[in-house]
Amino acid sequence: MTDQQTPEMQILENLNGQIECKKTIVVPTSMITNYQKFFQLAIPKNTKQITLVLPLSFINKLKEIKETIKNTLPEAEIREIITDKSENIILCTYF
């Protein structure tokens, strides 16, 4: 066993106190082929707040992803964070 944290764990630890998470999902970007289907399945329907952590390479897809989430959950507040520390999508939801 190692004491090293994954980059995703470090990101979430650094955000501790700034965001509230009830459910956290970490997904490699290569596994998502359809954003709409992914977010419809991954985000609980009663979600009030979403913190989306995207890799720097996804900065050009941010608008599309936010629109997809808004279409799925129009009432949810969406916060986005871009990082160069991970190549995974981290989805933190609060409901």
Side-chain angles (χ1 to χ4, degrees), residues 76-88:
E77 177 188 341
I78 303 171
R79 297 179 191 174
E80 67 276 346
I81 298 169
I82 304 294
T83 183
D84 62 351
K85 306 283 188 227
S86 172
E87 280 302 312
N88 295 322

Side-chain angles (χ1 to χ4, degrees), residues 7-9 11-12 23-36 38-39 42-43 50-59 61-62 65-66 69 79-83 85-92:
E8 293 78 22
M9 289 171 58
I11 291 166
L12 291 171
K23 180 179 177 185
T24 302
I25 301 170
V26 178
V27 181
T29 55
S30 61
M31 292 188 66
I32 303 173
T33 56
N34 183 315
Y35 296 117
Q36 186 170 5
F38 170 74
F39 290 116
I43 302 172
I50 300 163
T51 302
L52 182 65
V53 182
L54 295 173
L56 186 59
S57 61
F58 266 54
I59 197 161
K61 297 179 184 182
L62 178 61
I65 291 171
K66 282 181 67 173
I69 294 171
R79 297 179 191 174
E80 67 276 346
I81 298 169
I82 304 294
T83 183
K85 306 283 188 227
S86 172
E87 280 302 312
N88 295 322
I89 291 177
I90 304 170
L91 183 64
C92 175

